[in-house]
Amino acid sequence: MASISTSRTLFFSHSTKLFFSPFKPSSSFSFLPLQFSRTTCTLQHQQQQPLLRRNIIEILEERGLLESITSDALRSASSDPIAAPLKVYCGFDPTAESLHLGNLLGLIVLSWFRRCGHRPVALIGGATARVGDPSGKSLERPELDADSLEKNTVGISNTIRRILGRAQNSNLDELNVSGSSSVLILNNYEWWKEFSLLDFLKRVGRYARVGSMMAKESVRKRLESEQGMSYTEFTYQLLQGYDFLHLFQNEGVSVQIGGSDQWGNITAGTELIRKILQVEGAYGLTFPLLLKSDGTKFGKSEDGAIWLSPSFLSPYKFYQYFFSVSDADVIRFLKILTFLDIQEIVSLEGEMMKPGYVPNTAQRRLAEEVTQFVHGEEGLTEALKATEALRPGSETKLDWKTIEGIAEDVPSRSLAYDEVLNLSLVDLSVSSGLFDSKSAARRLLKQGGLYLNNNRVDSESKRIEAADIVDGKVLLLSAGKKNKVLVRIA
């Protein structure tokens, strides 16, 4: 299948014809006369004025969140004042129990559609995860057992519901789209579990052209590799394509979004809809992959993936990851990973160039906005409290909950109460593993760099008292700003 690129827009070309998809409004939606501000799509009541819906495609372009669309007709369909809101879906295969940073852009783009009055749909790939998406992969994914799939499905469904279900805009209730009731989460296993091979070949396979399937970039790269590709993975694009057809036909979903590596899978869906249902009005949209300025993937730390579930990665560590973003990346990430007004981001960029700019001011804003989006106000408060409380010399009083919030992020050692009580701080610093020797501990202490529960210790004779043990459970030792050890009292 050939493609024509014009102003970042891709149109389908098939048999030398260009296909434009006129939008067909659904009678199942009703909406109010509202107005959307240019940047945030904030809804406002208007008296006897038509609905003005901010063009979501323009927003995504402005923020660097648009790679390609299958038809320019999506621009008018997404802002048509007399059309019903679009239903937009993004798929998430349950290959792990939590989503990770690579999935975040999908949730953000869904949220932008939602902020502009459209309806987000999250599709859990309970069926497609059993096959494995070859896009961007050099090897076939390992097969998951049924119990793991179920556990993963529950985990990522909860993450999606928590993030997308949280009210992102106080005015969204004007369209009755606030709260978790506005987030539709489906599982494609529900319609694939009854499909037989003969059904698949008859209802889907007969409309697929092997030449077009092999021309997809994700397939072509694998076929050219030494590992090759199994027939199972080869059919993945048809499974995802039929998902779009099913959602289009049964749920009124007319837009599928995904990362740029999903282009082949998404266009497989729009083709099937056009061929099998013989209707127009299905659109695909892709956004760029999350990469750093040097071209490497953004979303990996020294310890592995950056998870979106607080059970896998604490809000504190999540916050710290974004706080550490380089100056070269921070402005672009503010545009694509936050909902801040563009003018505010431009202002921040200008401040970075001025004398007297406080280092990491932009990073701090990025970390606050993304943490709030993923973990909510409570998670952001926890991250900020831990960040401040764990700063050596901070006057913030430590409590057990705050320390536990970073327990997985620092080395720890368990010691009996009797071993700790009345032990000299120098000895404890060695037995806990903070220092290799007493001489090293004494040297830093004399330099003013040894802290107990964030309080600087000046006396070499300091011994641990009962009052030093936070809530009777833990002690926090710090050597300078970064090296810490958590001592658990057994």
Side-chain angles (χ1 to χ4, degrees):
M1 181 180 296
S3 61
I4 301 174
S5 177
T6 306
S7 299
R8 295 177 61 86
T9 302
L10 298 184
F11 300 85
F12 272 134
S13 177
H14 183 70
S15 301
T16 69
K17 295 181 180 180
L18 289 178
F19 289 86
F20 297 87
S21 303
F23 179 72
K24 297 183 178 181
S26 167
S27 61
S28 62
F29 292 94
S30 61
F31 50 96
L32 302 173
L34 306 167
Q35 186 176 25
F36 295 72
S37 69
R38 186 178 189 281
T39 303
T40 62
C41 286
T42 301
L43 312 177
Q44 299 173 342
H45 279 295
Q46 291 292 307
Q47 297 296 326
Q48 297 181 341
Q49 291 187 17
L51 175 68
L52 299 177
R53 182 178 290 135
R54 170 76 165 107
N55 193 302
I56 179 63
I57 305 303
E58 292 180 6
I59 291 176
L60 298 180
E61 280 182 319
E62 184 178 45
R63 304 186 77 94
L65 280 169
L66 183 67
E67 180 82 14
S68 307
I69 54 177
T70 55
S71 169
D72 217 32
L74 179 57
R75 294 177 183 272
S76 56
S78 63
S79 58
D80 189 338
I82 62 173
L86 299 174
K87 273 191 172 182
V88 185
Y89 99 91
C90 187
F92 304 91
D93 277 349
T95 53
E97 198 174 345
S98 170
L99 296 178
H100 53 77
L101 200 53
N103 306 118
L104 185 58
L105 281 185
L107 296 176
I108 286 174
V109 175
L110 283 180
S111 293
W112 272 117
F113 272 98
R114 181 172 182 250
R115 283 168 170 252
C116 291
H118 303 293
R119 304 299 297 268
V121 177
L123 180 65
I124 309 300
T128 43
R130 299 164 192 254
V131 173
D133 185 359
S135 302
K137 301 296 179 184
S138 58
L139 295 173
E140 189 162 353
R141 294 178 187 267
E143 185 176 354
L144 295 172
D145 59 76
D147 290 341
S148 295
L149 277 171
E150 177 61 26
K151 186 178 181 181
N152 293 349
T153 296
V154 171
I156 67 171
S157 296
N158 289 339
T159 299
I160 293 170
R161 190 172 290 109
R162 174 173 53 83
I163 295 176
L164 292 184
R166 191 181 299 116
Q168 317 263 333
N169 185 317
S170 59
N171 293 313
L172 282 175
D173 56 358
E174 300 292 355
L175 278 180
N176 192 31
V177 296
S178 64
S180 59
S181 60
S182 69
V183 182
L184 180 61
I185 301 179
L186 302 172
N187 189 331
N188 63 9
Y189 187 66
E190 293 303 314
W191 52 86
W192 280 112
K193 64 183 178 183
E194 303 299 335
F195 246 81
S196 69
L197 176 60
L198 292 178
D199 287 335
F200 175 73
L201 294 175
K202 180 179 180 181
R203 294 166 60 179
V204 182
R206 65 184 297 184
Y207 295 97
R209 291 295 171 264
V210 174
S212 297
M213 293 177 66
M214 292 180 66
K216 305 288 186 186
E217 184 177 6
S218 60
V219 173
R220 180 177 52 78
K221 285 185 176 180
R222 286 291 298 278
L223 290 177
E224 293 173 353
S225 69
E226 184 178 343
Q227 292 77 17
M229 171 182 280
S230 70
Y231 174 74
T232 299
E233 281 191 315
F234 184 61
T235 63
Y236 185 94
Q237 59 181 286
L238 296 182
L239 301 183
Q240 184 169 326
Y242 183 80
D243 284 343
F244 195 2
L245 185 151
H246 178 91
L247 293 173
F248 182 91
Q249 189 173 34
N250 296 282
E251 300 290 343
V253 174
S254 57
V255 182
Q256 181 183 177
I257 68 169
S260 57
D261 60 345
Q262 291 297 304
W263 179 253
N265 294 333
I266 291 174
T267 55
T270 54
E271 287 182 86
L272 286 178
I273 290 170
R274 189 167 55 246
K275 290 178 179 178
I276 297 177
L277 301 181
Q278 299 195 357
V279 296
E280 304 292 340
Y283 309 103
L285 179 153
T286 61
F287 42 82
L289 298 180
L290 200 54
L291 301 175
K292 297 180 182 179
S293 55
D294 61 6
T296 59
K297 285 188 176 181
F298 180 70
K300 294 286 186 179
S301 71
E302 295 178 359
D303 301 319
I306 304 301
W307 302 106
L308 304 188
S309 169
S311 301
F312 287 77
L313 190 74
S314 70
Y316 164 76
K317 192 165 185 179
F318 185 86
Y319 176 94
Q320 290 298 320
Y321 180 78
F322 285 94
F323 188 78
S324 301
V325 166
S326 70
D327 284 349
D329 290 314
V330 66
I331 295 300
R332 182 167 56 90
F333 289 158
L334 279 167
K335 291 179 180 179
I336 65 177
L337 297 176
T338 79
F339 301 93
L340 290 177
D341 187 275
I342 285 292
Q343 294 306 314
E344 184 174 353
I345 297 173
V346 170
S347 178
L348 271 172
E349 185 175 22
E351 291 297 321
M352 291 179 68
M353 307 299 173
K354 296 179 181 179
Y357 169 74
V358 178
N360 293 322
T361 298
Q363 282 87 344
R364 180 176 291 105
R365 192 62 192 277
L366 173 67
E368 289 175 357
E369 292 294 321
V370 181
T371 303
Q372 182 177 20
F373 175 67
V374 173
H375 294 293
E377 288 286 354
E378 184 178 348
L380 176 59
T381 299
E382 177 186 328
L384 291 175
K385 184 178 180 181
T387 299
E388 174 61 22
L390 294 171
R391 179 174 58 84
S394 170
E395 296 180 359
T396 303
K397 179 177 172 55
L398 284 175
D399 56 43
W400 175 74
K401 184 178 179 181
T402 300
I403 295 177
E404 279 297 309
I406 56 98
E408 295 182 359
D409 307 327
V410 298
S412 64
R413 176 75 183 272
S414 293
L415 295 173
Y417 184 85
D418 292 340
E419 291 181 79
V420 172
L421 194 63
N422 294 322
L423 184 66
S424 75
L425 180 61
V426 170
D427 287 339
L428 180 60
S429 297
V430 175
S431 61
S432 65
L434 184 63
F435 291 100
D436 294 329
S437 66
K438 293 181 183 180
S439 60
R442 292 191 185 99
R443 184 164 52 249
L444 189 63
L445 187 150
K446 290 177 181 179
Q447 295 171 355
L450 184 58
Y451 294 82
L452 172 62
N453 298 332
N454 283 346
N455 297 313
R456 178 181 291 159
V457 177
D458 299 317
S459 173
E460 189 176 327
S461 62
K462 168 64 181 174
R463 292 184 176 275
I464 304 302
E465 304 172 29
D468 294 322
I469 304 175
V470 179
D471 295 334
K473 297 179 179 180
V474 290
L475 290 162
L476 184 65
L477 305 182
S478 304
K481 294 182 177 180
K482 296 184 177 180
N483 295 325
K484 304 177 188 293
V485 168
L486 179 66
V487 179
R488 299 178 184 275
I489 306 303

